[in-house]
Amino acid sequence: VATAPQPDFRRNELLTRDERAAWVGLLQTSASLVRRLDDELRQAHGLPLSSFELLAQLYRAPDYRLRMAELAEHLVLTRSGVTRLVDRLVRGGLVRRLDADCDGRGVYAELTRRGFEAFDEAAATHVDGLRRLFFGRLGVGELERLNDLWDRTDLDPARAREQRLREARES
Amino acid sequence: VATAPQPDFRRNELLTRDERAAWVGLLQTSASLVRRLDDELRQAHGLPLSSFELLAQLYRAPDYRLRMAELAEHLVLTRSGVTRLVDRLVRGGLVRRLDADCDGRGVYAELTRRGFEAFDEAAATHVDGLRRLFFGRLGVGELERLNDLWDRTDLDPARAREQRLREARES
DNA sequence: AAAGATTGACTCTTCAATCTTC
DNA sequence: GAAGATTGAAGAGTCAATCTTT
């Protein structure tokens, strides 16, 4: 059966039913996926998803290191958020801080041997969970369509945010 | 130009490039959308997005009221999270608590007149932001495809979570 | 003055324990 | 005892201010 049409009298400033479903679906899907994957990673390896994602960035970076600001751009975190997260990882021995020799202000976060191993072990759990809970439920070509969608809806969070803060400060 | 093929030597437990992009895209899109919409709502109406979403649930509910547990299911929050959020809204005069007469344990959260008005005003901002930042960038039929996707990837977060907690308690 | 990073104070959310009612 | 809701303690992230280097 077809879905019922939207009533004509629906007020302009309210979302249609499909829009609301799409918005709530986005929120719920990402949130519950994050929760599940976080649970599984903590259970199996004592590693929170946020830590795992930071390790993943370093794992893929040249020389296994990135600057704090770069990490903030890739993860969905502010700079101070990255500072705290790296603090925890340093305490856990998975990451070390390293002053940038080219720029006295800069600081690198670098994967330690233990951090490398921790990521290596946890990666299997993460990938398995992601394929089971998400990728395995996609149809043919849906992965590509999804990536296309993310490209079109990219808000460039880092840049946009910095810009807004700057504008706000100037006013 | 076509994208380069995935290297054959990529280890099994790592995500392909497209998978990683889809996963990170989901995280970034939802997170940055939430941040932008939250900023706009706070700026224009002093109302956080989390509060707005709770008001939206009550606005659409029969008699403008829902029980705490029902709210927790619809929002992405635990029960204690809902308790705190309702606390703040009661303090702000947008919601009132109401004992359920049918069940002495139950509590309703009900929209006040001011809560109704606050939602009404903020809704325009929210809908405008959502259409500008998200829906306006979707192609023809993409909204329907997205809702279809959410159906297939639904993890039933509330039920699943309760179940996991119960199992964990029993062991 | 601007950029990179950090810190203190604060907010929001969760977990585990508790209270009340069924 | 189980379910609905709340509470204290703690975790994690943000903002605004600060420090250092450019």
Side-chain angles (χ1 to χ4, degrees), chain B residues 8-121:
Chain B
D8 289 330
F9 57 78
R10 186 172 283 292
R11 295 170 37 200
N12 221 353
E13 66 262 26
L14 287 182
L15 295 173
T16 66
R17 186 196 311 168
D18 279 356
E19 284 174 332
R20 176 126 198 102
W23 162 239
V24 172
L26 177 66
L27 289 183
Q28 297 224 347
T29 300
S30 63
S32 56
L33 208 45
V34 164
R35 267 211 256 239
R36 283 285 286 267
L37 294 172
D38 185 59
D39 281 355
E40 293 183 5
L41 276 177
R42 285 176 193 269
Q43 192 102 33
H45 308 280
L47 195 68
L49 179 61
S50 55
S51 298
F52 177 84
E53 288 292 341
L54 192 148
L55 296 184
Q57 293 296 330
L58 298 182
Y59 190 91
R60 301 158 49 84
D63 293 330
Y64 304 109
R65 70 175 73 139
L66 283 174
R67 293 177 59 154
M68 304 298 277
E70 291 178 298
L71 281 169
E73 273 177 48
H74 294 305
L75 309 169
V76 193
L77 277 181
T78 62
R79 291 193 185 185
S80 66
V82 172
T83 294
R84 317 277 187 184
L85 179 50
V86 168
D87 280 346
R88 298 195 293 275
L89 290 169
V90 168
R91 228 175 290 134
L94 304 183
V95 163
R96 87 179 116 252
R97 275 196 172 82
L98 202 58
D99 286 348
D101 29 329
C102 54
D103 181 346
R105 300 168 299 179
V107 174
Y108 282 101
E110 187 183 75
L111 219 50
T112 64
R113 176 107 195 110
R114 284 200 49 218
F116 191 93
E117 291 167 357
F119 174 82
D120 238 25
E121 288 173 27

Side-chain angles (χ1 to χ4, degrees), chain A residues 63-160:
Chain A
D63 294 331
Y64 304 110
R65 72 176 71 142
L66 283 173
R67 292 178 60 154
M68 304 299 277
E70 291 179 297
L71 281 169
E73 274 179 47
H74 294 307
L75 309 171
V76 192
L77 277 180
T78 63
R79 291 192 185 186
S80 64
V82 171
T83 295
R84 317 276 188 189
L85 179 51
V86 168
D87 280 347
R88 297 196 291 275
L89 290 169
V90 167
R91 230 175 290 134
L94 304 183
V95 163
R96 85 178 117 250
R97 277 194 171 84
L98 201 60
D99 287 347
D101 29 330
C102 54
D103 182 346
R105 298 168 301 179
V107 174
Y108 281 101
E110 187 182 75
L111 220 50
T112 63
R113 177 107 195 111
R114 283 199 49 217
F116 190 93
E117 292 166 356
F119 173 81
D120 239 24
E121 287 172 28
T125 301
H126 179 67
V127 172
D128 171 69
L130 215 34
R131 295 213 170 117
R132 176 165 37 83
L133 301 173
F134 190 65
F135 296 129
R137 306 177 183 210
L138 301 186
V140 177
E142 203 158 20
L143 195 65
E144 290 74 13
R145 284 207 302 275
L146 216 42
N147 280 327
D148 183 53
L149 173 63
W150 301 150
D151 284 342
R152 272 176 288 123
T153 56
D154 182 25
L155 304 182
D156 201 356
R159 227 181 300 267

